[in-house]
Amino acid sequence: MPESQRLFFALSLPARLQRQLVSWRAQAFEEHTGRPVAGASLHMTLAFLADVSPEKQQALMTLAGRIRQPRFTLRLDDAGHWPRPGVVWLGTRQPPRGLIQLADLLRAQAARNGCHQSNAPFHPHITLYRQATRPVALPPPGFCWTTDVQEFTLFASEFSRGRTRYQALHSWPLV
Ligand code: 2AM
């Protein structure tokens, strides 16, 4: 019988931007800030679904395929540290309306299909470091990366041999 998978909807980043962020991160943050997330794994989660059965996955994919939302430009110009989960993140000072609408829609569809959604407000971010539990020196404001977002993706999170890997299962275009 096929098994449940740990799933989430997210924005992937172009490979070039992933590489740029990895090299910026190395000079913008101190060594030992935390465990850096691999460049190919950098992403912005829109809706976290947790463990999803194959039937529910199919239903959520059908709904995702009906979404007609506009493309938008994302400006990555903010950074922060959440000490409790040990996350250092890159985010945006002004989330574009298209980003919020897309995340709201995916989160609402997930909730209606029994995927518990946190009550905490959506804080769009790209996790740069994990296990960052000690105080972190953040880079001064002034940095800004931009990317044109043209699609969103369903990812599976797989844990094996001590590592988490994200596998892109399917992407849908924004219009
Ligand atoms: P994080 O980077 O802030 O930890 C895969 O684990 C993705 O889903 C990550 O982007 C992670 O966010 C997010 N995620 C994991 N657990 C979550 C939860 N309970 N609520 C919201 N997002 C979660």
Side-chain angles (χ1 to χ4, degrees):
M1 195 173 72
E3 287 178 9
S4 294
Q5 283 188 289
R6 195 171 173 81
L7 302 178
F8 59 100
F9 285 105
L11 304 179
S12 57
L13 305 180
R16 182 157 176 267
L17 179 59
Q18 289 176 335
R19 285 194 298 273
Q20 288 172 328
L21 292 180
V22 165
S23 84
W24 169 75
R25 176 176 65 185
Q27 49 91 19
F29 291 88
E30 288 170 357
E31 231 184 306
H32 310 304
T33 292
R35 187 167 57 74
V37 174
S41 295
L42 294 172
H43 66 275
M44 179 175 280
T45 293
L46 300 167
F48 179 70
L49 307 174
D51 288 331
V52 176
S53 67
E55 296 76 26
K56 199 180 281 186
Q57 176 180 337
Q58 191 52 56
L60 289 166
M61 289 179 72
T62 301
L63 290 169
R66 292 189 193 139
I67 288 178
R68 296 286 174 272
Q69 282 286 308
R71 298 173 178 197
F72 52 88
T73 299
L74 193 53
R75 287 169 56 88
L76 299 166
D77 57 0
D78 195 16
H81 178 213
W82 294 328
R84 265 232 287 192
V87 161
V88 174
W89 52 266
L90 179 65
T92 176
R93 288 173 192 276
Q94 288 207 309
R97 183 192 293 261
L99 169 64
I100 300 299
Q101 282 175 349
L102 179 60
D104 283 352
L105 200 48
L106 289 167
R107 286 156 62 101
Q109 289 180 346
R112 278 201 299 275
N113 280 272
C115 298
H116 171 77
Q117 295 299 293
S118 149
N119 288 328
F122 174 57
H123 188 291
H125 67 280
I126 296 167
T127 297
L128 295 175
Y129 290 96
R130 297 193 184 281
Q131 298 171 12
T133 45
R134 285 190 287 175
V136 169
L138 295 170
F143 57 87
C144 181
W145 305 95
T146 59
T147 182
D148 292 324
V149 178
Q150 303 183 2
E151 62 178 24
F152 64 99
T153 301
L154 180 66
F155 285 92
S157 171
E158 292 160 3
F159 187 77
S160 78
R161 288 192 231 143
R163 279 196 55 191
T164 301
R165 285 189 182 77
Y166 302 136
Q167 191 197 349
L169 300 180
H170 195 85
S171 296
W172 294 266
L174 298 171
V175 294

